[in-house]
Amino acid sequence: MSKIDLDKVRDYCEDLLREDQTDNLYFGQDKGSIYWVEGAECWCYQCGNKTEWGQADDLLSDIDDKILFSYYEENREEIDYYLE
């Protein structure tokens, strides 16, 4: 993938969360994570002092592009394979 399409990276992340492949998607130190909160029956994005609740796709759409780019760089092989 020569040019990174961050919307496709968001789609990849959403599929991981929605297809029960993970209930905690960690973006890296000081970049936060999205995780399932059983009692609340919804997703939570937490990064530092910031906490947001909602649907996985809504939370992913609000994540800073720099965080998604960094996540892509760290998981490039799996994401590129998924996007083929």
Side-chain angles (χ1 to χ4, degrees), residues 22-82:
T22 186
D23 61 358
N24 185 353
L25 189 58
Y26 178 68
F27 295 103
Q29 184 173 351
D30 299 324
K31 297 174 186 156
S33 64
I34 293 178
Y35 58 92
W36 179 253
V37 180
E38 191 71 34
E41 297 298 318
C42 69
W43 294 96
C44 178
Y45 173 69
Q46 188 166 21
C47 182
N49 294 331
K50 179 181 180 178
T51 302
E52 294 181 11
W53 300 87
Q55 298 294 318
D57 57 339
D58 292 334
L59 295 174
L60 285 164
S61 69
D62 290 340
I63 291 179
D64 188 89
D65 287 350
K66 292 177 185 176
I67 292 173
L68 279 179
F69 179 77
S70 173
Y71 181 79
Y72 170 77
E73 289 293 310
E74 292 173 17
N75 299 281
R76 177 185 301 238
E77 192 171 305
E78 295 96 19
I79 295 171
D80 284 349
Y81 178 78
Y82 168 83

Side-chain angles (χ1 to χ4, degrees), residues 5-20:
D5 183 344
L6 292 179
D7 287 333
K8 290 184 179 183
V9 175
R10 282 185 178 89
D11 291 344
Y12 169 81
C13 293
E14 185 177 347
D15 282 350
L16 285 178
L17 296 170
R18 292 206 185 271
E19 300 299 324
D20 294 327

